[in-house]
Amino acid sequence: MKLCWKSFLAFFLCACLLLSVTSCKKGEDSLAGKSFRWALSREPKTLDPQIASGEDAASVILALYEGLARISEEDDGAQSATPGAAESWEHNAEYTQWTFHLRKEAVWSDGETPVTASDFLFAFQRALDPATGSETCAPMYCIRNGRDIHDGKKTVDELGVTVKDDYTLIIELEYPNQNFPILTALPVFMPCNEEFFQSTLGRYGLEKSTLMGNGPFEIDGRYGWEAGKHINVKASDTYSGETAPLPSDVSFTVGNEEIDLSSPVSALTSGSLDAVALTEQETVEAEKAGCSIVSFEDTVWGLCFNLQDSKLKNADLRRFFFRSLNREELLEQLPKSAGEAQGIISPAVTLEGERYRTMAGGISFPGQASEKELSEWLRAGMSALSLDKAPTFTVIYPEEQEIGPLVNEILKTWNEATGLYYNMEPLEEEEYNQRISLGDFSAAIYALRPESDGPYSTLSAFQSQSSGNVFGYQSEKFDSLLDEIARHSGEDAASLSLQAENQLLEDCVFLPLYTGKHFYGMAPGVKGIRFLPYGGGVDFIAAGKE
């Protein structure tokens, strides 16, 4: 009798477990197999992972390709690495050597060609080869000799990456990095088949016929990529990753031809889009409509000068304008939801898994200078430029930021300090961005938003030869600091980064004022879309819809 009772209990528990698993599976199935739409702000110039840049390109590349690891999000919002093209990895005791084991069943989207360790070696070498012209390869500088190769001091054959066999890749680092696998999820780390690349005759990533991916999706049919209209992808039949893509297909629309984006919230609630970037003001309406909101505090807004402007090349004049400002009075004019910037690098940036700002501490904001100091700087600057009065100019800013009172406080200070008049010009986003990119401004309220995590990514925007250097800043001392940051880790890298921040303040290039967030909304019933910070793209592999 006792044995029968135990048998019944075992049967009952097994039945409950089976019912639970079946219920979970049904819940997942009810979300699976759906179509999704996301609007690109502009069509990517290329889908070559080693040279493509920006959130639009990253979003499509995340669908078509897969790095050694994928990025997942913990309950506390922290990022972690999960298996991607590599099913497992291990490291040495110092975290300076990583060994990745690739999936032996993985093939490229042609359905035949195996994805091998050599594909990753070729991709890494291509990205770091100065002839490639990659602007996104800085995260690879932690690989042994990576920086020297990109600087032309060593050849790609000297890169610290070894192909042990077809499915084993060994990567040696310049310094310990416990979170290196997370980096391998970035587009620039994604594989490239050398034979296919050579067959495209310089057109790799420019059209469907010159693309071969290894990711969870593939271009949907002959007309899946129509220039200026859309890039449509479908779940790949050849993908063998740890988790199969949940959606049946994703449409990345381009421009307003196929979807009306005049009201992003209406696009969500009408079903025209499943997710979209929102302004802070639009999030209120979106939440009322049942949409879910995701945000990242990944931006620092500040006052910057264009050093290519003949009036502002002079350091004494810049110092006069920066140091005449009273920071406490400026902070009183910040937008209600804005937080005070503690530095040039945003509070969300991490360094080897820790918050950078916690490791480095705050920067040394200079106080408002005395009238004597201001007078001396002004006279010296005017004399150097043969001016009989202080130069005047206009401060531009994006009108959507609603920072008129803040800019007005800045202008009021300068007006009183010089007896002259300074102007402000709020601009629509498109015109503002165009003016900034063309260098058609003297001063601006500008947003620093890095393209990847880590202090180096933010600071590299000020590098003399950087294409993202909209400030016209040229400094051998600062460039040398950047080189040192790229060669160090941990507390040393944090200390050097803080020095670089303070130098930018000392040279009066960028005055951080407040932090900003980027917001994304998902339509009611939509789940599982992963938004990556720092313009890292949007990942649809786990996207579901009720």
Side-chain angles (χ1 to χ4, degrees):
M1 183 69 181
K2 185 180 289 186
L3 190 60
C4 291
W5 169 248
K6 287 183 178 180
S7 299
F8 173 77
L9 181 59
F11 173 79
F12 178 75
L13 291 173
C14 288
C16 290
L17 179 61
L18 181 61
L19 181 62
S20 174
V21 171
T22 304
S23 299
C24 291
K25 182 67 176 174
K26 284 183 177 179
E28 183 179 289
D29 288 347
S30 67
L31 299 174
K34 306 295 174 62
S35 299
F36 289 82
R37 267 190 161 190
W38 170 265
L40 302 175
S41 60
R42 58 184 60 85
E43 186 167 14
K45 294 179 180 179
T46 178
L47 293 179
D48 176 348
Q50 275 66 64
I51 62 174
S53 61
E55 183 177 67
D56 293 317
S59 298
V60 184
I61 289 171
L62 285 173
L64 299 176
Y65 292 85
E66 184 171 72
L68 294 167
R70 299 188 68 87
I71 293 177
S72 65
E73 191 172 289
E74 305 295 334
D75 293 338
D76 61 358
Q79 291 186 347
S80 62
T82 57
E87 60 186 1
S88 64
W89 51 79
E90 66 261 3
H91 54 79
N92 64 3
E94 294 78 25
Y95 293 94
T96 55
Q97 184 183 87
W98 292 81
T99 302
F100 292 85
H101 304 282
L102 276 61
R103 300 179 188 280
K104 295 182 179 180
E105 68 275 16
V107 295
W108 288 92
S109 53
D110 64 356
E112 300 176 354
T113 307
V115 177
T116 68
S118 295
D119 296 327
F120 284 93
L121 173 61
F122 178 66
F124 295 2
Q125 290 176 332
R126 256 195 81 223
L128 288 165
D129 188 337
T132 301
S134 174
E135 296 179 359
T136 60
C137 67
M140 289 180 161
Y141 292 166
C142 62
I143 301 176
R144 183 168 59 80
N145 295 332
R147 181 60 188 266
D148 284 344
I149 291 169
H150 190 250
D151 288 346
K153 298 176 181 178
K154 293 186 178 180
T155 67
V156 295
D157 294 332
E158 297 176 270
L159 185 64
V161 179
T162 303
V163 174
K164 183 178 180 181
D165 56 49
D166 281 351
Y167 302 103
T168 309
L169 189 73
I170 301 173
I171 302 176
E172 296 177 51
L173 305 184
E174 292 278 5
Y175 49 78
N177 189 339
Q178 297 184 33
N179 294 290
F180 177 71
I182 291 179
L183 293 180
T184 69
L186 295 173
V188 72
F189 281 86
M190 292 179 180
C192 180
N193 181 272
E194 183 174 7
E195 183 178 351
F196 179 81
F197 173 80
Q198 300 296 352
S199 73
T200 64
L201 303 176
R203 294 193 56 78
Y204 184 66
L206 297 179
E207 57 194 10
K208 180 182 184 297
S209 64
T210 61
L211 274 175
M212 187 167 76
N214 70 319
F217 299 89
E218 60 184 346
I219 300 289
D220 189 2
R222 183 177 179 183
Y223 301 105
W225 185 354
E226 287 198 60
K229 292 185 178 180
H230 59 246
I231 303 175
N232 294 336
V233 302
K234 65 177 181 179
S236 173
D237 294 330
T238 62
Y239 179 67
S240 61
E242 188 169 82
T243 304
L246 207 58
S248 63
D249 57 276
V250 181
S251 178
F252 297 96
T253 65
V254 179
N256 296 328
E257 187 172 329
E258 295 189 358
I259 293 179
D260 180 11
L261 294 175
S262 59
S263 173
V265 178
S266 295
L268 288 177
T269 55
S270 68
S272 298
L273 290 175
D274 295 287
V276 70
L278 300 170
T279 65
E280 185 170 5
Q281 293 75 22
E282 289 166 342
T283 61
V284 178
E285 180 186 353
E287 286 185 309
K288 289 180 180 178
C291 302
S292 51
I293 307 297
V294 175
S295 67
F296 299 105
E297 193 176 24
D298 58 359
T299 306
V300 170
W301 288 87
L303 172 66
C304 73
F305 288 136
N306 180 1
L307 275 60
Q308 295 304 307
D309 185 316
S310 59
K311 301 184 291 289
L312 296 169
K313 279 185 176 181
N314 184 275
D316 284 317
L317 286 179
R318 296 198 308 274
R319 192 165 290 114
F320 165 78
F321 287 114
F322 263 32
R323 295 291 302 279
S324 63
L325 299 173
N326 184 311
R327 184 170 180 80
E328 286 69 29
E329 291 179 358
L330 294 182
L331 296 179
E332 291 177 2
Q333 304 300 327
L334 295 184
K336 290 183 179 179
S337 59
E340 176 188 351
Q342 300 298 321
I344 291 171
I345 295 169
S346 81
V349 167
T350 65
L351 179 60
E352 298 173 22
E354 295 186 47
R355 293 288 185 189
Y356 162 74
R357 189 57 63 198
T358 302
M359 294 176 68
I363 62 175
S364 303
F365 285 105
Q368 187 177 27
S370 68
E371 289 187 11
K372 179 181 177 182
E373 290 175 311
L374 293 174
S375 178
E376 289 175 351
W377 291 328
L378 182 58
R379 278 201 308 270
M382 289 167 54
S383 175
L385 297 177
S386 300
L387 300 176
D388 56 7
K389 61 181 179 180
T392 59
F393 46 83
T394 297
V395 179
I396 67 171
Y397 67 93
E399 62 181 3
E400 68 177 26
Q401 281 297 299
E402 299 182 350
I403 52 174
L406 172 63
V407 180
N408 189 63
E409 184 65 32
I410 293 172
L411 302 185
K412 176 185 171 184
T413 300
W414 292 344
N415 291 344
E416 293 175 352
T418 64
L420 302 172
Y421 290 97
Y422 295 83
N423 299 309
M424 61 181 176
E425 186 178 5
L427 300 171
E428 291 187 0
E429 183 179 11
E430 184 175 353
E431 183 181 358
Y432 171 84
N433 289 336
Q434 185 177 36
R435 292 271 298 272
I436 292 291
S437 64
L438 294 174
D440 183 18
F441 72 99
S442 297
I445 303 299
Y446 181 76
L448 274 178
R449 184 194 187 195
E451 291 193 352
S452 60
D453 200 5
Y456 183 92
S457 182
T458 300
L459 296 170
S460 63
F462 298 91
Q463 189 174 29
S464 297
Q465 303 305 318
S466 170
S467 62
N469 186 351
V470 301
F471 320 96
Y473 180 55
Q474 305 284 316
S475 169
E476 292 184 5
K477 180 181 178 182
F478 182 82
D479 292 346
S480 296
L481 264 177
L482 274 182
D483 287 342
E484 288 299 306
I485 294 168
R487 300 175 191 278
H488 288 79
S489 62
E491 295 291 342
D492 290 338
S495 176
L496 289 165
S497 298
L498 186 62
Q499 288 182 47
E501 286 189 276
N502 283 321
Q503 184 180 330
L504 291 171
L505 271 185
E506 182 181 334
D507 290 347
C508 301
V509 181
F510 185 89
L511 178 64
L513 295 170
Y514 65 98
T515 58
K517 293 182 178 181
H518 276 82
F519 297 89
Y520 300 92
M522 286 188 286
V526 172
K527 306 176 185 299
I529 298 177
R530 184 174 296 121
F531 305 92
L532 303 179
Y534 314 112
V538 184
D539 188 356
F540 284 90
I541 190 171
K545 193 187 302 186
E546 293 176 351

